Amino acid sequence: MKKQVIIALAISISAFSFAQKKELRAVEKAIKGSNYAEAKAALQQAEPLISQMDEKEKAQYYYLKASTLFAGGAGTLADIDSAIENIAKVEGGYESEVAQLKQDMANNLLTRGNEYYGKQDYSSSSKFFEKTYRLNKDTIFLYYAASTAVNVPEYDRALALYEELKKLGYTGIEKEYFATNKETGEEEVLDKTTRDLYVRSGTHINPGERMTESRKPEIVKNVALIYVAQGDNDKAIQAIQDAKKESPDDINLILSEANIYYKMGETEKFKALLEKATEMDPNNAELQYNLGVISGESGDIEGAKKYYQKTIELNPNYTNAYINMAVTILDGEKAVIEEMNGLGNTAADNKRYDELIEVRKELYKEAIPYLDKALSIDGDNINAATTLMNIYSVLGETEKYKEMKAKVDSFN
């Protein structure tokens, strides 16, 4: 009786082994024929047998399941997640097959992510970039996922990805190889092997290498701005302060902090930080312009004029600087009109009224050159044209008024 039990058990084990191999061969055959629905069905039949499989068979099962879920690139995002989970379970065999599958998956995910990015579908693009990272652990793709999530904007998701990057200590600093293309004269960034090949072939010269700039300031800035968008200004400022401890002289961090204070309505802190940034980069027209804006908003008219004039000196084609300079000059009209309206009918009042008319005209004449310049740079600037039309009307310069009116009418 004991011998019969032993024989029966041996037959049972043999049957299980045969069934396992049969089902797994069926999966392999279906995958080779790109029949992934059939492969899934065969996997379902093989799944109850996992506990009876040896290490190599389990490796085969998980590899085949990952391949089936990937479906040659047709798998859903949920399928991709499951495929990555199954790849992680492969042990004791199929190393080269898994390596090839991971490469195929990474190439497909990256291609799809780039395609969605090109269509400005940043949400989908970000998710495919993230899957690429989950698969190959290359942090550059986690960075891409976070950056594109900001564009959606999917702030909660972007914040989680950025925080993950920070925990990983990601900086984005890497060695970059370059050489100059002899035909175009332009410097090109290449991988080391390609660059060396081009230099040896004579198509490129002046090879070199350098370290790229850190992406940490950008990451911290985006984290801070996300906190601002979520109304958590304290965390935003803390994020900037933490970054400044490592890079106290990073002008981008100073500008990011200034931007946060501006969004919070703390204009004095915003202005102080802009002034600090301007000291660090005195030839930055954008900084000078922004200081002009904030000075004007805070009532510092002469300061605003000074900054706009500096902007124009640094960038003679900065249209908005000319427009804002004219606006700042014309703002002086308010006080003039207020005083005119408050005068009585005495001889002294009438005399003062005539004086104020001249003051008003002088303001107009002072603003005209800036508006003219703005219009010469940007011929479609309706604000400049409309303001000039109104000024010429008040000044009684009929021909110039008609000319400008025709221009304004042409915009409609």
Side-chain angles (χ1 to χ4, degrees), residues 261-276:
Y261 280 121
Y262 182 78
K263 289 178 181 290
M264 292 167 60
E266 298 194 33
T267 55
E268 286 304 314
K269 289 183 178 179
F270 170 71
K271 185 178 179 181
L273 287 166
L274 276 190
E275 287 174 343
K276 182 177 179 180

Side-chain angles (χ1 to χ4, degrees), residues 226-274:
I226 288 170
Y227 281 132
V228 170
Q230 294 177 331
D232 198 336
N233 295 325
D234 290 338
K235 283 188 177 180
I237 295 299
Q238 186 58 53
I240 291 292
Q241 295 304 327
D242 290 344
K244 286 173 68 177
K245 289 175 184 176
E246 296 185 24
S247 307
D249 296 324
D250 190 315
I251 191 170
N252 290 321
L253 288 176
I254 293 171
L255 291 174
S256 296
E257 185 179 10
N259 190 35
I260 291 168
Y261 280 121
Y262 182 78
K263 289 178 181 290
M264 292 167 60
E266 298 194 33
T267 55
E268 286 304 314
K269 289 183 178 179
F270 170 71
K271 185 178 179 181
L273 287 166
L274 276 190

Side-chain angles (χ1 to χ4, degrees), residues 172-209:
I173 299 174
E174 59 185 5
K175 187 173 287 187
E176 187 175 74
Y177 300 93
F178 60 90
T180 302
N181 186 314
K182 287 174 68 175
E183 184 177 344
T184 65
E186 295 181 0
E187 183 180 279
E188 296 177 357
V189 176
L190 307 157
D191 65 84
K192 187 177 187 301
T193 301
T194 303
R195 184 206 62 178
D196 292 346
L197 177 63
Y198 286 174
V199 170
R200 284 197 298 271
S201 66
T203 61
H204 289 63
I205 57 174
N206 301 326
E209 59 186 58

Side-chain angles (χ1 to χ4, degrees), residues 50-80:
I50 292 177
S51 62
Q52 305 296 325
M53 295 179 185
D54 61 28
E55 192 174 69
K56 187 173 181 180
E57 287 171 336
K58 286 181 180 178
Q60 182 185 17
Y61 171 82
Y62 290 123
Y63 160 69
L64 292 174
K65 188 171 182 179
S67 298
T68 300
L69 289 163
F70 174 54
T76 65
L77 284 171
D79 288 335
I80 296 299

Side-chain angles (χ1 to χ4, degrees), residues 17 31 39 112 135 157 178 184 188 207 218 238 331 388 410:
S17 178
I31 290 173
R112 292 164 77 179
L135 180 68
R157 184 166 170 276
F178 60 90
T184 65
E188 296 177 357
E218 177 197 339
Q238 186 58 53
D331 274 346
L388 279 170
S410 71

Side-chain angles (χ1 to χ4, degrees), residues 112-123:
R112 292 164 77 179
N114 284 327
E115 286 174 351
Y116 280 117
Y117 187 86
K119 297 174 184 176
Q120 297 185 340
D121 182 350
Y122 299 122
S123 180

